[in-house]
Amino acid sequence: MALTTNSGAASLTGGRLTRDAIGVLAILAVAVLGYFLFPNNLALLTRITAIALLVLSLDLVTGYCGVATLGHAALFGAGAYGAGIAAAHFGITDPIAMLAAGILAGALAGLVSGAVVLRAHGLPQLVLSIAIIHLAHEAANKASGWTGGSDGLAGITPDALLGHWQFDLWGRTAYVFGIVLLVLAFVILRQIVRSPFGMLCRGIRQDPVRVRAMGGSVHGTLVKMYAISGAVAGAGGALNAISTQVVGLDSLSFTLSAEALVMLVLGGTGSLYGALIGTAAFMWFEDVVSAANPFHWLTIVGALLIAVVLFAPKGLYGSLAAVFERRGRKAP
Amino acid sequence: MSAIFDVRNLKKMFGGLAVTNDVSLAMAPGDRVALIGPNGAGKTTFVNLVTGNLLPDSGSVTLAGEDVTRLGPTPRVRRGLVRSFQVTRLFSEMTPEEHVALAILQREGRSGGMFSSHRAMPEVMDETHALLSRLGIAHLARHPVSEIAYGQQRLLELALALALKPRVLLLDEPAAGVPQSDTARIEQAIADLPADLAVLMIEHDMDLVFRFAKRVVVLAAGEIIFDGSPDAVTKDARVRQAYLGSYADARSVA
Ligand SMILES: Nc1ncnc2c1ncn2[C@@H]1O[C@H](COP(=O)(O)OP(=O)(O)OP(=O)(O)O)[C@@H](O)[C@H]1O
Ligand SMILES: [Mg+2]
């Protein structure tokens, strides 16, 4: 054990940067592989990328801060409608500007839902989050003049990306745009979760009383993290709006919130890799199984989940990481 | 010298039981006070009340002239009122290095930084490791707390309080659960504290109490029954009564 500590100490920041570089390379490798393996399915891959941003965002508040929520799609939906409404009603059709609108709307939604959800703890907190997503869904449904209601918001036609790349029929531009966005988000979030602020968040999850006894502000820190989380989910929503050119009420649904939580648990909470792996595994599995057996795919997904929770309670990534860590320690 | 820490007429009832009954206690900078008393006397409750972890039914807490009775724990810590816990409260998945660095950054108002890392701050790292060495746990700096022994967690608990550089320090049985071989380190760390700091220590070990304290306060059944010099405390009839009474109770329960 002493040996692993010492070698860790020697190559400290270098080791971390290398690990981040490996993470980025892994995302890019999977992205390129996806591009060539499923050239006719780029729309699905882009959707996975957008949902990955939602799950990363959920990981920030649930995995790192310990906040229980089943309403996180409110932040994603806010980003999608923010970008969509900017384009459809205000003529803001530059994709970067639409993205900015989505990020802003997501961050605002994060602030608002954070302010509500953080009033309670445990089960009441969960119930508040469910109330939020239902209220948001209903509000979007009623405000059909702005959102298109249950028909969805259409008329979103983004300009060429950076004036060069049209959003083509095959979805290549959207896919590349999404991957760039995901890599950017990943790099920024890696930095944030290991910053002093990130440590404070992990501390709050493990013992808020101790954090207060250190003079740390629990509520203020969590609200900040909620806003960041909202920005990330909002980016995902905006990506979805830009790539599909419609925004439906399903982007603001309880189902999406619950699925995001399932993906996070599947991959492993409290690690950005877990969030990414969980999303990719769930959505790929869902796609394969629903094509193979359209009638029983939900049953199969359910069985998979039970297996993961029972046999790999830390999630796919968490369990793998634990195995490697144990091996690393045993090695001389 | 005038009081930096002044508690007046503090009261707290737990379901009909007066756990803190009209307690008043003041400390000046440089004071070394031992708070002793039988189990269940209300010592920890007193610390919880003055640090804002519990709300008193009545009474006031003043810190350097400012009434902090209605403030939560966080602002009190930021004003220099720091406590340690009788039962260790640490982040089980984090390392001692992260704990102490976080406390130092918190003290300096830098814990909100999102684009920095404590490992890239030499002054924070140096201070962290100096403090961990002083308490003899530097070799554990990068092990998760869940993997280190309880006695060493107790040392970290003390390190956190020290890292905050308090003006008033309340230590709740800092040596409880620490192996005999390590109590000297705890004593030394407490003896090395800045002279102008006001320290109140709850402790059951009377040898430790006598070496540390210039003043002893005895709490029994929620009330202060003695406040005076260490020499006088052993001779006090009410104190003997309280301790004997509690032993008699303990025996009758057993
Ligand atoms: N949250 C609570 N609710 C109800 N009763 C409590 C609570 N906390 C403490 N008590 C009771 O208050 C009394 C004082 O407890 P406290 O922990 O302050 O004692 P103590 O002097 O610190 O004892 P010890 O020496 O064993 O640590 C005990 O009778 C305890 O059972
Ligand atoms: Mg106690």
Side-chain angles (χ1 to χ4, degrees), chain A residues 206-207 210 214-216 329, chain B residues 78 89 93 106 147 157:
Chain A
Q206 294 172 50
D207 189 352
R210 165 41 80 193
M214 284 174 151
R329 283 204 187 153
Chain B
R78 290 184 181 172
R89 296 199 82 124
E93 293 165 23
Q106 189 62 60
E147 288 177 10
E157 174 84 32

Side-chain angles (χ1 to χ4, degrees), chain B residues 44 86 172-173:
Chain B
T44 298
Q86 179 176 0
D172 197 350
E173 302 196 27

Side-chain angles (χ1 to χ4, degrees), chain A residues 1-2 5 8-10 12-13 16 188 191-192 194-200 202-218 224 228 325 329, chain B residues 53 73-74 77-78 82-85 89-94 98-99 101-103 105-106 110-119 121 142-144 147 157 160 164:
Chain A
M1 283 218 284
T5 327
L12 200 108
T13 13
R16 290 178 162 199
I188 294 173
Q191 170 54 41
I192 290 180
R194 66 166 165 246
S195 69
F197 172 77
M199 265 202 299
L200 198 58
R202 280 185 285 141
I204 289 171
R205 172 172 55 80
Q206 294 172 50
D207 189 352
V209 174
R210 165 41 80 193
V211 169
R212 290 195 187 96
M214 284 174 151
S217 146
V218 170
K224 259 190 232 166
I228 295 171
E325 206 167 298
R329 283 204 187 153
Chain B
N53 292 88
T74 302
V77 174
R78 290 184 181 172
V82 170
R83 57 101 44 106
S84 74
F85 292 94
R89 296 199 82 124
L90 298 168
F91 311 125
S92 58
E93 293 165 23
M94 281 160 64
E98 288 174 313
H99 279 83
L102 189 56
L105 289 166
Q106 189 62 60
R110 292 161 74 191
S111 69
M114 292 180 193
F115 294 95
S116 54
S117 159
H118 64 282
R119 293 193 174 190
M121 301 173 190
R142 292 204 173 135
H143 291 267
E147 288 177 10
E157 174 84 32
L160 287 185
L164 294 169

Side-chain angles (χ1 to χ4, degrees), chain A residues 266-268 271 273-274 277 308 311-328:
Chain A
L266 180 67
S271 133
Y273 291 107
I277 290 173
V308 166
F311 300 111
K314 288 179 179 165
L316 296 173
Y317 177 76
S319 303
L320 269 180
V323 168
F324 278 111
E325 206 167 298
R326 240 175 285 141
R327 286 232 185 114

Side-chain angles (χ1 to χ4, degrees), chain A residues 170-204:
Chain A
W170 301 275
R172 284 188 208 129
T173 305
Y175 181 55
V176 173
F177 182 49
I179 293 298
V180 170
L181 204 56
L182 184 65
V183 167
L184 270 179
F186 178 80
V187 171
I188 294 173
L189 294 185
R190 285 288 291 179
Q191 170 54 41
I192 290 180
V193 297
R194 66 166 165 246
S195 69
F197 172 77
M199 265 202 299
L200 198 58
C201 289
R202 280 185 285 141
I204 289 171

Side-chain angles (χ1 to χ4, degrees), chain A residues 73-85 101-110 230 233-234 237-238 251-252:
Chain A
L75 283 53
F76 181 86
Y81 278 108
I85 289 172
I103 289 176
L104 201 68
L108 276 177
S251 67
L252 206 58

Side-chain angles (χ1 to χ4, degrees), chain B residues 6-12 19-26 35 41-42 46 49-50 58-60 217-225:
Chain B
D6 193 356
V7 177
R8 299 252 172 103
N9 309 105
L10 212 58
K11 280 189 189 162
K12 179 75 183 176
V19 178
T20 304
N21 195 0
D22 205 18
V23 169
S24 298
L25 196 158
L35 178 62
F46 173 75
L49 288 172
V50 299
S58 63
S60 70
V217 175
V218 184
L219 202 63
E223 283 178 63
I224 292 190
I225 57 165

